[in-house]
Amino acid sequence: IEPVRNPASVIYGVLAVGALLAAESGRHESYADTLGSVLIALCLYWLAHAYADVLGHRLQTQERLNAKALWRALIGEAAILAGAVLPLLALALTWVLGVALASGVEVALWSAVASLIGFELLAGIRAQATPGELMLDAGVGMTMGLAILALKIVLH
């Protein structure tokens, strides 16, 4: 889940789905409702990023709107959707396994937290970080994950 062109959008996707799952936390009555609401909100987030990119560019350059620019932005920001894959797969897998909805949302939420820590460690390893720097990387990922968990606590 690492696009060559836009790795930051993958991270945005993980953060977005984590925040959505934190807000959700099993409030719906079914997995289908939960998955549907998270997917709709995630797609709106993706569309908002692409739209903001196109409109911001047009405001700076005074270019006219065209389908090619819209399509390019949608493709460029599609990595947001890729970032949400692991937590959404975790949610779907718990559904298939018959896990209670609230527990399934917890598993998906924690997979988003683990993804953030994993991406931090991957970045550190690629940068040939020292053990102390890797601990800092993991700490930053954990802090972002804790922020998502704090959102869950505040909302519920």
Side-chain angles (χ1 to χ4, degrees), residues 29-41:
E29 294 182 16
S30 73
Y31 269 99
D33 289 344
T34 300
L35 198 53
S37 67
V38 169
L39 283 171
I40 289 168

Side-chain angles (χ1 to χ4, degrees), residues 64-132:
R64 292 184 178 134
L65 181 61
N66 62 67
K68 184 177 178 182
L70 283 171
W71 182 249
R72 187 173 41 247
L74 288 169
I75 296 301
E77 294 297 334
I80 288 172
L81 301 175
V85 166
L86 183 61
L88 291 177
L89 281 176
L91 186 63
L93 181 61
T94 57
W95 183 8
V96 169
L97 294 175
V99 174
L101 177 58
S103 297
V105 171
E106 278 294 313
V107 168
L109 182 61
W110 280 100
S111 73
V113 172
S115 295
L116 292 172
I117 296 167
F119 281 128
E120 276 290 346
L121 290 173
L122 178 62
I125 290 167
R126 286 185 171 179
Q128 299 179 352
T130 65

